[in-house]
Every structure is written in C-alpha cells, then in structure tokens.
Amino acid sequence: MSPPDCYHCGLPCPAADPIRMAWKGEERSFCCPGCRAAFELIVASGLDAFYRQRTTQNAGRPEELTAREWELLHSPVFQAHHVRATVEGEVETDLLLGGIHCAACVWLNEQVLQRLPGVVYARVNFSTHRALVRWRAAETTLADIIVAVRRIGYRAEPFDSTRLPARRQEQSRDLLLRLGVAGFGAGNIMTIAVALYAGYFQGMASQYKHFFHLVSWLIATPVMLFSGWPFLRGAWNGLRLRRVTMDLPIVLGFLITYAYSVQVFLAGQGEVYFDSVCTFLFFLLIGRYLELAARRKSSQATERLLRLEPLEATLLRPEGPTVVPVTVVGMGDRLLIRPGERFPVDGVIESGSTATDESPLTGESLPQTRGPGDAVLAGANNIDGAVTIRATGVGGNTTLARMARLVEAAQNDRSPLQTLADRVARHFVATILLLAALTLAYWWSRGAEQAWQHAVALLIITCPCALGLATPVAFAVASGTAAQLGILIKQGIALEQLAKADLIILDKTGTLTCGQPDVVALHPTPGMPASRLLALAALAEQGSEHPIAHAIVAKAQSMAIVLSPVDATTLRNYPGQGVEVVGPEGMIHVGSRAFLQPFLVEAATEPSPDSHITWVGCALNRKLLGWIALTDTLKPDAQATVRQLRAMQLEVWLLSGDREAVVERVGSAVGVDRAKGGVLPEEKERIVRAEQAAGRRVVMVGDGLNDAPALARANVGITVDRAVGLSVVAAGVALLNPRLEMLAILIQLARRTMRVIRENFALSVLYNVLAIPLAMTGHVLPVVAAIAMPLSSLAVVVNALRLRRVEHRSA
C-alpha cells in the first residue's frame, strides 16, 4: 500500500510514520511538522477554503507527469515550499535525481537542463544526486524542468529530505538484484565454460558442444538484458546527445561478444563466449556497488550533520510557551531557549543570561557569557541558563544557513582532473572502434567468420577495464590503508589534490589545540596551599555542567583530591558567571572577577592580564583564596607535525577566529610560517580562494563549523578528531586518529598513490600497445583474448596493492 499524500503540499508522506490529525471528522496526513503547522495557521485564519478550491485543470499535461503531479507542480503552496527567489530576480530549486550511476550521467543531465529556455544554471552533485537549477520564471516552469529530465530516462522530483531513505533503499535493492542475477549467471555458466574450454583443446562431440552452447545462451541472455540494463541505458542516453560515455565501450564489448556468440551457436561452428558476457557484467556491477556503498556512507553523514538547526522551537505566545516547527518562526518572534538546547535562529537576548558554546560557529574555544542585548547564533549551544530571545535571522538568513550555502557552492566546483578518465576513455573507444572496423574490412576477403573472430578478439582484448581501474583501484587500496591508520578518505579526488598541495592552512581550536579548557596553573593567596584552593573550587564546581567546571574537577581528580558531597539545595548557579554553594566550611564562591567582587571584602585582581588565559577565582566566606588559570593547550604532537610538514616542502599557515594574541602565541609555539587571528568564516573562505587564484593548491585542516566554507572551498578539506557539524560534511578527509601526525602520513600516502596511478596508466598503455597489433594480425583468438583481458586488470590491481605498505614514522 502506497503512503498517503500530504494534505497540505501534496507530496507522499513517509511510509513509516506519517503525521496525522483529525479535521472535520476525517483523518488528515502530513509529510512533515512544517506542513502540519502551515495547515493549522491557514485553518486558524479562516482560509481553509483554500483546500477545497484546488484546481484540477490538466490541459496541456505531458505524459511524463501524472494528473496529481501536474496539479502539485502548479500549486502556489507547493511552489512556496520548493521554489525560492534569488537576489538576481531569478528562481531556483533543488531536485532529487534517480538513475544517476556515473559522471557521464551527471554531465548528461546538466547538458539537458542547461539547454532549456530560461535556465541560467544547472549543477548536479554526484555524491548526493541533487541538482541545483536556477531559471527565469517567465521563460520556463518547474514542470518543464522535471519533464525534460524524465524524457532522457532519469527520475526527477523536488528534493525532500524525508524521502531520501526510501530512495537509497530502492537504489540499493535494484543494484543488488542485478548483481545477484549476474553472479548467479556467471557462476553457472563458468561450469559449462570449463567443459567447453577443455573440449576446445582436447576435442568434444558436436551434440554435447551444441547443447552446452544452448544452455550458455539461455543463461547469458537474461543476464545481459537485466544486469546490463544500467549500462545499456547510459550508453543510449549518451548517444542520443552525441556523447561517448564510459558506458559505451562496456556495452559494445558485451553486445558484440553476445551477438558473435549467438551467430556461432546458430551456425553450429566455432566457439561461444557467453561466459565472458556474464563475468564481465558481474565484476562491473561489483565495482559499481562498492562505489555506491562508499558514497552512501558519505551522503548519510552529510544529511545527518546538516540538521544542526533544531527542528522545533519554543515560541512565546500570549497563551503561553508553545513548541512549533522552526519553519513557522518569523522575524521578531520571541523564543524561549532552555539550558542544554541549541539556538534555532539568530537572535538577540531580551531577558536572562547564560553561557553559550559557539566553538562550532566562531572557533572560540571557551564558553561565552551572553546577557540582555547580546546576539546569539543559530546552532550555538545554550549551556546553563534559560533565556528569551527575539529572532533576527530565520530560515535561509541565519549564519548557519549562509555557511551551508557556501559549503554547497564550493562542493559543486569541480576540478578538471575529475573528467580526465572520461576524456581518455572517449578517445580510446573511438580509436578501438576504428581499428576494429579496419580489422574487419581487411580480413573480410578471407572469410566473414575469420574477420569477425579477429574484430571481436580486438574488442575483447582491448577492453578499457585496466584503463578504468587505474585510478579507482589505487584510490580504493589507499583508502583502505588510510582507514587502518584512522584516516577516512571520503573523496577519491582528495588524494590527487593532496599529492600536489603546496599550502597547508590549519585552524587552531581542536586542530593544533585540544579544544577544551584545561587547568594550567594555580595561584593561591599567600599562606594558602594550592591543593586546598583546587579542592574547594572543585567542591563547588562538581554540580555544574560548564566546561570550565569539568576542567577544574578533572584537575582535582588527577591530583587524587577526594571531593566530599555538598547539599545540592544550597547550590546556586549564575549562568555564564560562576557558582555559589554552602560547603562544610562555609559559603564558597567560584567564578570570574566580576562575579566574585560583590561577595569579597577586598577588591580582587587577576594575577596576569594575559589574553589567552581564563582566570577563575575562588572565595571562602567572602575571603579570596586564589586564582585558577585555564587555557586551551597544544596537542602533544602539534609542533612535530608542523616541522614534518615543512620538511616536505609545504608552507604552513594558522588561521583562527580566536583572539589575535592567542593565535600568534600558538603559531610561534608550533613554528608555522604565518599566523592570523580574528578571521571570520567568510574571510577564511576568501583567503583560500585568493590563494587558489594565485595558482596554489590549498589544504585546509579544521574541526569547527566556522571552518566549513574554507574546507569546502579548499582543494582538499581535512577534519580532525572530534570534528563537528558541517565541517565533517565539507571535508574530503577525516582524521579519526587523534594524533595530528596522521596529517603528514596522509600526504606521504597521497604522493605514493599518484605514483602508483601513473604506473597503472603505463601498464594499461603497454598492455594495449602489445595486444592491439597481435589481435589485428590474427595472432590472438577470441578465447585467448577472453583469458588475456583480465590479466591487464590483474596487473593494475597487484601494482595498487603495494600501497598497503606505508611508512608510518613519527616525526
């Protein structure tokens, strides 16, 4: 049973859990909280006649669209959901495409979209199968765009994140079914092929040989038609637009081999190669499934991490706080944000005070105190105080949304090297087709059977498998080796770019430093033991969830200080300032100087004005006991890693959103070539873009959301251990190993990988240079070609396996 359509927007609801509510005695279904909230607002406003006056006019509907789809695509409500205006006066939308299998599919869809009247921009993301299309509304419609894609054999529909899991499952099921059919056919037909090969060399009765040929034909035919369908469709779609894709040589290989084998079977003379058709498709589908699995992991993480913005918010209405979808929050609305929640929109605090964790957004490692009049950012964490804010940026106008758009735009930028294999294969295929035609013509005068044998032998033995495997197999082995070292490579192009990099840009917080405050010094007042100062401070802080409190308690525990319990009813938390608690010896206050001053008999001053240190004071019964210094400490191997990178002839920069003095101190400590602080996310991205324009290949290493635009813009983006949010999405590489030295090891591996790829291309070319003349001159029979063809791929794979050995030295 198909899922019901959403009563508001008309899209199919999630099959597993549609949102339902009763209205006018009937149950209505909705696809998301936003649609239900919009429905409630329309009904509350007395405009429910809108739902009874939908047009069902279908005049001019193309056959590619159902009546329901045609109605939806022309519905103002549906348009408002999926089509947005741009500052240039155009409109744009995101489409989810089905049937995308390779780079040629991406190119084909882009070409079709860009040729439509009024379309000014079309870019398909191969990893997510999403297409961003921008057009002039006066010249074309969303329906025209979707129809154009469907007419070339691909599915297209407006993007809806709730439908992604079902689409992924459908794609996996289809590919696994085709792979299973090919595997079943290949396994069975090979048992027959063994007998036929033996009969070829030792002799076999004609009736048995003919029977084995018949069974092979019956097995190979459904395998070719069903398992080979994705390749057949891809090749046909390319030819319709006069485009030679990587699917074409694959299709030519198994179609001609199949046709030749059928001709041999019907003639009753010669050898058939149905087994080559089945095994060829089986191994190709295995490669395609492995590629899909790798992209699936990346895209699932992408969709999960893009949901940093909360789905719901607590809206303050006259009748009281109401939880609503964040999509209905408007500019100027008042929201209640409780401790532990994430800010759903950009806003200004109207009442209350708190400490916020903005490190994913700004790079500032320590919590920030925020009170009335202070701005807060969507995506930041509210640590320890309830606040009321007024929304100043919602939806696409939040800082989070702007960063997400920067990431998407940078990810869609392509390197020319991404199409290198396709270009080489296109010329290779054209050359082989010409040579096969010449071979057929030359030998035709000596007999059609002999001519077809030599032409098929040429097509089989020169199959571009080795050429196609030269790069992906090296990337696969290198990725596996990296994974064993705790390095996740999400984009194969990242290795190619890493090998050519000449500039490494490092973020500070969480990259060179640990990313959490740590107690670095104790400054007790005269006569006060340092251990007693720490013990009393930890006693007060053990009931707080603030990161500084955790650091103080952890320091006390590391010094084997036993903390006695306190009466939780006496604990009073001042969000973003400090804590007050009644201990065994009296009243304890722990917090900043501004917090402590009203409780002290005498004025208090921090021991040092050093800007990179956070000072926390501790007072007992209105008397200052001393100060605790906290800062974000360097990782143990930070200095050694920078030194090793520079020894590899790489320039190393440090860019951070933290304070200038702090960044300069860290840069000096680790020995970078350049250090700059106070750099906003947009400025990081501009710096990367400027260096690229100057001809440099940039590697960006970071862990926070503020790094996401630069990570996406860089030639290679690398996230480090504990990276969060969009930084993980934007990066092509993730260092899961906490040791920063993995960065240097990764670059060494990338350089070795590129050397292996060049060797693989050389092996592939050498193989074809030797094989082509032998096949054209009749020295290679098709049966020998079928055996020799996998050898070229085997040589490439064996050479790539050398990448499993990697030098793993610590600097």
Side-chain angles (χ1 to χ4, degrees):
M1 180 178 178
S2 59
D5 291 339
C6 176
Y7 189 70
H8 177 69
C9 71
L11 283 176
C13 297
D17 188 25
I19 300 172
R20 305 181 187 275
M21 69 172 292
W23 184 58
K24 293 191 174 181
E26 297 183 19
E27 187 178 66
R28 308 297 182 183
S29 299
F30 301 90
C31 65
C32 65
C35 282
R36 174 173 173 172
F39 167 78
E40 291 174 339
L41 289 175
I42 289 176
V43 171
S45 303
L47 302 176
D48 53 291
F50 166 84
Y51 294 105
R52 300 192 299 270
Q53 296 174 353
R54 289 176 172 171
T55 177
T56 57
Q57 177 59 257
N58 290 316
R61 175 176 60 85
E63 62 181 9
E64 289 81 7
L65 297 174
T66 65
R68 180 61 171 162
E69 289 175 329
W70 180 255
E71 176 188 343
L72 285 175
L73 291 174
H74 289 85
S75 163
V77 175
F78 188 88
Q79 294 272 336
H81 251 269
H82 298 282
V83 180
R84 54 189 178 271
T86 67
V87 295
E88 294 85 2
E90 300 154 350
V91 292
E92 65 181 17
T93 192
D94 290 303
L95 299 178
L96 181 63
L97 303 184
I100 299 290
H101 295 296
C102 63
C105 298
V106 171
W107 180 91
L108 186 62
N109 278 273
E110 289 179 348
Q111 293 300 307
V112 168
L113 291 170
Q114 290 170 358
R115 293 179 184 179
L116 290 176
V119 172
V120 296
Y121 179 86
R123 179 58 58 86
V124 178
N125 188 314
F126 182 41
S127 296
T128 61
H129 295 181
R130 286 175 60 179
L132 173 62
V133 187
R134 190 175 302 127
W135 72 95
R136 291 184 289 270
E139 299 181 39
T140 193
T141 66
L142 178 58
D144 295 333
I145 293 171
I146 291 178
V147 167
V149 174
R150 292 185 178 182
R151 281 178 176 168
I152 59 171
Y154 296 89
R155 297 188 302 274
E157 62 185 35
F159 176 76
D160 181 0
S161 59
T162 62
R163 296 173 61 85
L164 282 180
R167 286 298 184 196
R168 292 195 185 106
Q169 186 177 8
E170 178 185 346
Q171 188 179 17
S172 292
R173 185 167 54 246
D174 178 77
L175 187 53
L176 280 174
L177 182 59
R178 297 183 192 278
L179 176 60
V181 170
F184 177 82
N188 283 276
I189 206 170
M190 283 304 297
T191 61
I192 300 174
V194 169
L196 290 173
Y197 287 148
Y200 176 81
F201 293 106
Q202 300 178 10
M204 177 181 287
S206 60
Q207 64 269 29
Y208 294 120
K209 184 176 182 179
H210 187 74
F211 175 73
F212 284 146
H213 286 178
L214 173 61
V215 175
S216 298
W217 184 19
L218 294 176
I219 294 175
T221 300
V223 170
M224 184 195 68
L225 294 176
F226 181 72
S227 299
W229 173 246
F231 305 102
L232 291 165
R233 181 181 58 190
W236 172 244
N237 288 338
L239 290 174
R240 288 174 62 186
L241 291 182
R242 302 178 182 178
R243 169 77 171 184
V244 178
T245 67
M246 287 290 288
D247 285 330
L248 184 59
I250 295 173
V251 168
L252 285 175
F254 70 72
L255 276 185
I256 294 178
T257 304
Y258 176 83
Y260 174 79
S261 298
V262 171
Q263 186 271 329
V264 168
F265 168 71
L266 295 177
Q269 295 181 348
E271 305 298 329
V272 299
Y273 306 101
F274 292 119
D275 57 313
S276 297
V277 175
C278 293
T279 54
F280 189 32
L281 287 172
F282 178 60
F283 287 117
L284 284 171
L285 288 171
I286 286 178
R288 183 160 286 185
Y289 182 78
L290 292 175
E291 179 188 0
L292 174 66
R295 288 192 293 104
R296 180 68 45 79
K297 292 179 181 178
S298 175
S299 62
Q300 284 180 338
T302 297
E303 297 302 326
R304 183 174 63 254
L305 293 167
L306 278 172
R307 291 194 289 267
L308 285 175
E309 185 179 68
L311 296 178
E312 297 179 332
T314 303
L315 183 63
L316 294 178
R317 290 175 169 168
E319 61 271 20
T322 305
V323 177
V324 299
V326 72
T327 53
V328 305
V329 176
M331 298 286 287
D333 283 349
R334 297 174 66 246
L335 305 175
L336 173 64
I337 314 297
R338 299 181 176 89
E341 294 181 346
R342 196 182 293 271
F343 288 93
V345 297
D346 289 352
V348 174
I349 295 178
E350 289 191 340
S351 63
S353 59
T354 186
T356 63
D357 178 12
E358 300 175 0
S359 57
L361 294 158
T362 66
E364 175 59 59
S365 57
L366 298 176
Q368 301 297 298
T369 301
R370 296 287 183 256
D374 292 333
V376 291
L377 302 176
N381 283 315
N382 181 24
I383 297 177
D384 55 8
V387 294
T388 300
I389 69 169
R390 177 173 47 83
T392 59
V394 299
N397 296 316
T398 65
T399 302
L400 189 63
R402 288 194 295 270
M403 289 183 179
R405 286 197 295 270
L406 283 172
V407 171
E408 187 71 20
Q411 283 183 331
N412 282 334
D413 286 343
R414 294 183 188 152
S415 166
L417 294 177
Q418 286 180 275
T419 58
L420 175 61
D422 195 29
R423 293 199 304 268
V424 172
R426 185 166 67 247
H427 297 303
F428 178 84
V429 172
T431 302
I432 294 304
L433 289 176
L434 176 61
L435 292 177
L438 292 175
T439 301
L440 184 66
Y442 176 79
W443 290 98
W444 191 263
S445 60
R446 305 188 186 187
E449 180 180 352
Q450 189 176 16
W452 278 114
Q453 278 189 348
H454 297 332
V456 168
L458 176 62
L459 286 170
I460 293 176
I461 204 168
T462 56
C463 176
C465 281
L467 184 64
L469 284 172
T471 298
V473 74
F475 283 155
V477 176
S479 299
T481 302
Q484 294 177 357
L485 299 174
I487 303 170
L488 175 62
I489 300 174
K490 300 190 294 178
Q491 301 171 0
I493 191 67
L495 284 170
E496 186 177 33
Q497 295 294 337
L498 275 169
K500 302 176 181 179
D502 53 15
L503 174 61
I504 309 291
I505 297 179
L506 304 173
D507 180 48
K508 179 187 72 70
T509 305
T511 302
L512 288 176
T513 66
C514 297
Q516 293 292 333
D518 188 29
V519 176
V520 294
L522 299 171
H523 291 266
T525 56
M528 172 61 59
S531 59
R532 176 169 166 76
L533 165 65
L534 183 61
L536 289 171
L539 181 70
E541 293 282 22
Q542 62 182 322
S544 174
E545 294 299 322
H546 199 284
I548 287 180
H550 287 307
I552 292 175
V553 172
K555 182 66 173 178
Q557 292 173 343
S558 70
M559 296 176 61
I561 296 176
V562 179
L563 303 178
S564 58
V566 297
D567 185 357
T569 61
T570 67
L571 175 65
R572 185 177 181 185
N573 185 34
Y574 296 81
Q577 302 177 60
V579 296
E580 173 186 279
V581 68
V582 176
E585 302 180 47
M587 183 68 71
I588 306 173
H589 291 90
V590 179
S592 64
R593 182 179 63 84
F595 168 72
L596 290 177
Q597 194 61 65
F599 302 105
L600 297 178
V601 177
E602 300 178 354
T605 306
E606 295 98 333
S608 146
D610 196 330
S611 60
H612 77 277
I613 293 178
T614 297
W615 293 102
V616 174
C618 179
L620 175 63
N621 297 325
R622 302 174 63 85
K623 180 180 179 181
L624 182 67
L625 303 182
W627 297 91
I628 300 174
L630 299 97
T631 189
D632 192 7
T633 57
L634 285 174
K635 289 184 176 179
D637 59 348
Q639 188 177 25
T641 299
V642 171
R643 184 168 59 248
Q644 190 173 358
L645 291 173
R646 296 185 67 186
M648 297 166 64
Q649 308 302 312
L650 294 168
E651 190 173 346
V652 184
W653 290 6
L654 173 60
L655 300 180
S656 176
D658 212 339
R659 291 161 291 182
E660 186 78 35
V662 176
V663 176
E664 289 182 356
R665 180 184 62 84
V666 173
S668 176
V670 299
V672 298
D673 296 288
R674 178 186 174 188
K676 180 177 176 59
V679 183
L680 297 176
E682 293 84 357
E683 188 178 355
K684 282 187 181 181
E685 192 266 348
R686 284 196 298 269
I687 291 174
V688 171
R689 184 156 23 99
E691 293 302 317
Q692 289 174 324
R696 310 194 71 175
R697 292 181 174 87
V698 182
V699 175
M700 177 69 201
V701 187
D703 77 323
L705 185 57
N706 63 309
D707 302 315
L711 285 166
R713 176 62 61 185
N715 297 84
V716 182
I718 301 177
T719 56
V720 296
D721 182 43
R722 299 179 184 176
V724 297
L726 286 180
S727 64
V728 179
V729 179
V733 179
L735 301 182
L736 307 180
N737 192 314
R739 288 183 296 168
L740 191 59
E741 67 171 338
M742 290 297 113
L743 176 59
I745 293 174
L746 171 63
I747 295 177
Q748 292 172 351
L749 177 62
R751 292 178 176 180
R752 288 191 62 216
T753 301
M754 293 312 299
R755 285 198 298 269
V756 167
I757 289 174
R758 288 192 292 268
E759 293 166 359
N760 283 350
F761 274 117
L763 287 172
S764 178
V765 171
L766 178 62
Y767 166 82
N768 284 286
V769 166
L770 295 176
I772 290 173
L774 291 174
M776 292 183 68
T777 56
H779 290 87
V780 178
L781 295 175
V783 65
V784 178
I787 297 173
M789 184 266 287
L791 295 180
S792 61
S793 300
L794 182 61
V796 166
V797 172
V798 170
N799 185 54
L801 289 177
R802 296 190 297 115
L803 290 170
R804 292 187 299 179
R805 301 188 305 272
V806 60
E807 295 182 3
H808 187 183
R809 300 191 308 266
S810 179

